[in-house]
Structures are given as structure tokens and as C-alpha cells.
Amino acid sequence: MELRVGQGWRVGWRSDQHYAGLVGAEDWATELTDAEFRAFVELFRQLHEQLQAIAPELMPEEMITLSGHNDAVQLELEGYPHAYSLHLIVLGDRRVEGTWPAPVPPDFLLACCELKDGIAKGQSLQ
């Protein structure tokens, strides 16, 4: 398994399993199917980009909540552009919920995107 770990997060990939992806925090983790993992990363990226786009319009003390969903996952990002929490609900055949408390480090999103992009390019990540 390709596993990346940072302060308060972990993300992994193992292509030879039905539940190929893994996401988690320090005290919890869940496995995701290929489709769930890709949907999670894409939605996470979209919400982060939306937050960064509206950041200049927010007052420094103003918090914001952004949420979105697709067929596989529901995400909610809450906090400030530089320090937000992330809440995940898996909508598949099993119900899973988890939260990364604020501040979710930018390197978590980067690691998720790198794994997803490597998978899309057909690179072996085992």
C-alpha cells in the first residue's frame, strides 16, 4: 500500500483491493472504493478552490461553511480560508462518517491529489 501520513491525516492507495483507497485522521480511518476515493478527492479539491476564490471577500474574523456531494460522498468544509475542518460522509453501500479538525493541513489535500493523479495516469502505486 502506498501510504502517506501527516500531522492529523493519512491517505493511502492499494489498487489490488476492492476498497483501494484509505483516508483517515489520527484516531480513525476508512477504506474507500476506487470511485469513492476519486469522488472524495475531486470534491475536496473543488471545495478548497471555492473557499480560496471567495477568501478575499471575507472579513478576517468571518467563518464560512461550504458543502457539496456527489453520488459517492458528501463533504462539508467549515472555518476560515487558512484554517478549516473537513467532514466526510460516505454515501455508498455502507455509512461512514469522519472529521478532520481544523486546521486541515494543505499537505493532506496535496497528498490526496497526487495519489489520485498518479492513479489517473496509470502509475503503479503499490
Side-chain angles (χ1 to χ4, degrees):
M1 172 174 267
E2 170 87 12
L3 183 65
R4 299 181 185 187
V5 178
Q7 185 171 358
W9 62 268
R10 53 191 152 154
V11 60
W13 181 259
R14 184 170 176 175
S15 62
D16 63 343
Q17 301 291 315
H18 175 70
Y19 292 105
L22 175 119
V23 295
E26 287 186 16
D27 59 351
W28 69 271
T30 190
E31 295 175 319
L32 302 174
T33 65
D34 175 73
E36 290 168 343
F37 182 77
R38 291 171 192 258
F40 165 74
V41 175
E42 189 55 37
L43 188 54
F44 185 11
R45 183 189 329 223
Q46 288 172 8
L47 291 176
H48 176 81
E49 289 173 356
Q50 287 176 13
L51 180 61
Q52 297 312 306
I54 62 174
E57 300 177 32
L58 298 174
M59 300 294 288
E61 67 279 356
E62 190 174 6
M63 293 181 67
I64 190 161
T65 300
L66 296 174
S67 61
H69 65 86
N70 51 42
D71 291 341
V73 297
Q74 178 179 327
L75 293 178
E76 182 177 271
L77 185 149
E78 182 176 26
Y80 305 98
H82 63 281
Y84 57 81
S85 64
L86 181 67
H87 185 76
L88 162 71
I89 299 174
V90 177
L91 303 173
D93 59 348
R94 72 230 182 278
R95 299 291 183 202
V96 176
E97 287 192 50
T99 300
W100 291 269
V104 172
D107 54 341
F108 176 51
L109 176 57
L110 179 62
C112 290
C113 290
E114 286 174 350
L115 281 179
K116 180 182 170 280
D117 292 345
I119 295 162
K121 292 176 184 172
Q123 297 173 353
S124 174
L125 297 173
Q126 297 186 59

